[in-house]
Amino acid sequence: MNSPATPAPRATTARRKRGEGQWALGYTEPLNKNEQSKKDDNPLNVRARIINIYSKRGFDSIDPADLRGRFRWMGLYTQRAPGFDGGKTATLEEEELDDRYFMMRVRSDGALLSADALRALGRVGTEFARDTADITDRENIQYHWIRVEDVPTIWEILDEAGLDTLEACGDSPRPFLGSPVAGVSEDEIIDGTSALEEIKRRYIGDPAFSNFPRKFKTALTGHPGHDVSPETNDVSFVGTVHPKHGPGFDLWVGGGLSTNPMLAHKLGVWIPLDEVPDVWEGVASIFRDYGYRRLRSKARLKFLLADWGKEKFREVLETEYLKRELVSTPSPEVPVRPADHIGVHRQKDGKYYVGLAPVVGRVSGTILTALGDLVEEHGAAGARLTAYQKVVVLGVDADQVEAFLDAAAAIGLDGRPSNWRQNTMACTGIEFCKLAIVDTKDRGRDLIASLEQRVPDLDVPITVNINGCPNACARTQVADFGLKGQLVLDENGEQVEGFQVHLGGATGLHANFGRKLRAHKVTSAGLDDYITAVVTAYLDEREPDESFATWVVRADEAHLRGETPVAGAETSEKEVARV
């Protein structure tokens, strides 16, 4: 009897691992609507349509794919229409929140703004933006109420002043952060101005670098005060000194905040000034080719670094893109706190630079025009914007400093600000932003005024960063008080504007993300009492030279919840909502 035939082995097919949209691995098909839109038409092409079609035919002529996508590469977002409260932010479609006006973002990229450039920025604000203008924490000027009909004229004004809005938004090389005191600081390790200029000349507007998986944020500083928040950028070049080769830059990659905050990885390398643009191109190319495009929520460079680690990232950078090894050297020392350059400081040429603080970055076209006039009248070299929503005027003669300070204060720019004014930032908020849930700018202004009265003699810097949503545009996770806007329940069970609180975050020597207390929220109305209570407890309990962030680690939770009674304040369960 024949034995039964052995059954043939069942054919098996290896299941292909699901791709993350990485071009370098062959996953080139669009995987979401954003990728499809960019494939359909390079976003840089929208400039011609704005000039030739939309500005002539008006808002209703704009293709929706351009309006809510490609316009961003020209620095334009539709702003939030009036009348929609924070509860509508997540429940309405984007187009339902659209106004017929635009936010416009102008990049400065660490450049020195002349008196004429400041006046040009002021003119745009007063003539075309209802006198709005904000200094952002990416060293931009941001306007509101812009009509598409006026955009070509605005571009002409900016172009004459050496300014532009190109790729100020979108999945592109966002505006660069540069040291506000590059080239003049007595403490500077190296002046990186020429490198930023060359990166911009080579790559901004280049179609080969206009389609990244998401935004790509760059920072560069040769100042030992690390004045550009290098820990929170996709790519940062940080001044360092090699024992043999001298001054150059270390490379930090993969920083970013928002809903999944990560601090940058320090590669511990030495890059000479003239090679910085090539290395930037290599890092940007890795992000373009290997970045995750399938899900927008994982499309930042920080997620690739989290998966690869810095060793593999460096290897790919050197072998596939630079075709050479980078010089290794220990990363530079980190300052206890980053420098913000507010106040009067001597320059290496004997002149002075003066750091001025508006209130939570809010200025106006009128103020910018007046600042241009002051720069000219006092013989200053010009001004730079900062990563902390401030402005620094360079090249003021010693005999002009006091007069300049008084004149600047008269137009709303304070060179002798309180600690509260100096160290409080706020994003755009619900006034204009379609992502926001709560008010930020007005709330920040009122909070500063209140805290200046309640805690007038604060002798240490305590940062307060106010954000209207979870996206951390105001770097909430790395502030002493990081306030993330959301709707909370008040004492009557009603939904009101409020904040989740991050306590004791920092950049610099003790860089970390702020501590969140379980089920702890604060109503916007109760914010003044809450911060007063926590700060008062800190001032009462602190050890000599102990920072607020250090105290937060060891503080009793009752203090951090604002439950410590404070003389003169009526802190109660009404102001502190627990959800």
Side-chain angles (χ1 to χ4, degrees), residues 20-90:
E20 292 294 341
Q22 295 167 281
W23 287 357
L25 301 182
Y27 298 103
T28 56
E29 287 302 307
L31 296 165
N32 57 55
K33 67 177 184 178
N34 302 83
E35 292 299 310
Q36 182 67 56
S37 176
K38 291 182 288 183
K39 183 180 180 182
D40 290 343
D41 184 40
N42 190 299
L44 297 176
N45 295 335
V46 78
R47 178 182 175 89
R49 292 194 288 277
I50 292 173
I51 294 172
N52 298 320
I53 301 174
Y54 303 144
S55 67
K56 299 181 187 306
R57 299 182 184 175
F59 186 88
D60 291 332
S61 70
I62 304 172
D63 185 315
D66 286 343
L67 180 66
R68 298 180 190 93
R70 302 181 191 103
F71 263 49
R72 298 175 184 183
W73 276 253
M74 298 300 118
L76 295 163
Y77 280 92
T78 49
Q79 67 185 40
R80 187 188 192 97
F84 292 103
D85 61 38
K88 301 293 194 301
T89 299

Side-chain angles (χ1 to χ4, degrees), residues 150-449:
D150 296 324
V151 170
T153 303
I154 294 171
W155 281 344
E156 290 174 4
I157 294 169
L158 294 175
D159 185 61
E160 289 175 5
L163 298 165
D164 62 85
T165 69
L166 185 59
E167 296 183 294
C169 313
D171 300 345
S172 65
R174 294 293 186 88
F176 312 147
L177 293 178
S179 172
V181 296
V184 302
S185 170
E186 289 186 314
D187 302 325
E188 187 174 52
I189 297 168
I190 184 172
D191 179 1
T193 303
S194 62
L196 283 180
E197 291 171 345
E198 183 63 11
I199 294 170
K200 184 171 185 177
R201 186 191 70 80
R202 289 189 199 177
Y203 307 113
I204 301 304
D206 181 349
F209 294 92
S210 67
N211 181 359
F212 292 140
R214 284 286 302 274
K215 65 185 77 170
F216 184 67
K217 296 184 176 181
T218 300
L220 182 149
T221 182
H223 192 278
H226 293 188
D227 48 9
V228 295
S229 190
E231 301 95 335
T232 62
N233 283 266
D234 294 283
V235 58
S236 296
F237 296 91
V238 181
T240 190
V241 180
H242 188 280
K244 178 180 177 182
H245 302 299
F249 294 91
D250 190 12
L251 177 62
W252 299 9
V253 289
L257 298 176
S258 194
T259 52
N260 289 283
M262 301 182 195
L263 296 175
H265 300 252
K266 303 174 184 179
L267 265 59
V269 296
W270 178 86
I271 302 166
L273 177 63
D274 61 353
E275 294 182 13
V276 167
D278 294 337
V279 176
W280 184 95
E281 178 183 342
V283 175
S285 298
I286 290 176
F287 182 44
R288 177 194 63 204
D289 299 342
Y290 285 98
Y292 303 146
R293 293 175 182 262
R294 184 173 68 86
L295 298 174
R296 296 283 287 178
S297 59
K298 280 195 65 177
R300 292 294 298 277
L301 183 63
K302 62 187 178 183
F303 294 104
L304 185 65
L305 262 295
D307 291 343
W308 277 12
K310 67 179 182 180
E311 291 79 12
K312 178 177 177 179
F313 187 92
R314 177 175 175 178
E315 178 187 357
V316 172
L317 175 64
E318 292 175 334
T319 58
E320 294 188 28
Y321 293 92
L322 298 178
K323 308 297 184 184
R324 60 180 174 78
E325 291 187 7
L326 295 169
V327 176
S328 295
T329 194
S331 292
E333 291 185 5
V334 178
V336 174
R337 297 184 69 93
D340 67 2
H341 307 300
I342 295 300
V344 179
H345 306 266
R346 182 181 170 89
Q347 298 180 177
K348 59 187 177 184
D349 63 0
K351 295 186 177 185
Y352 290 81
Y353 64 84
V354 183
L356 304 170
V359 177
V360 292
R362 178 135 288 177
V363 286
S364 65
T366 300
I367 289 174
L368 291 172
T369 299
L371 179 60
D373 291 342
L374 289 184
V375 164
E376 184 172 73
E377 291 166 10
H378 293 269
R384 285 196 179 109
L385 309 179
T386 86
Y388 301 96
Q389 300 181 338
K390 310 298 190 296
V391 59
V392 179
V393 175
L394 279 60
V396 181
D397 288 329
D399 61 358
Q400 292 288 316
V401 168
E402 289 302 317
F404 179 82
L405 281 166
D406 292 341
I411 64 169
L413 299 173
D414 196 343
R416 309 179 185 93
S418 69
N419 259 312
W420 296 115
R421 179 164 174 169
Q422 179 171 344
N423 295 297
T424 300
M425 298 199 305
C427 74
T428 300
I430 200 170
E431 181 181 12
F432 297 116
C433 179
K434 291 180 293 180
L435 299 178
I437 302 167
V438 304
D439 173 67
T440 55
K441 290 291 189 184
D442 289 342
R443 190 66 190 91
R445 179 200 63 209
D446 294 344
L447 178 65
I448 290 169

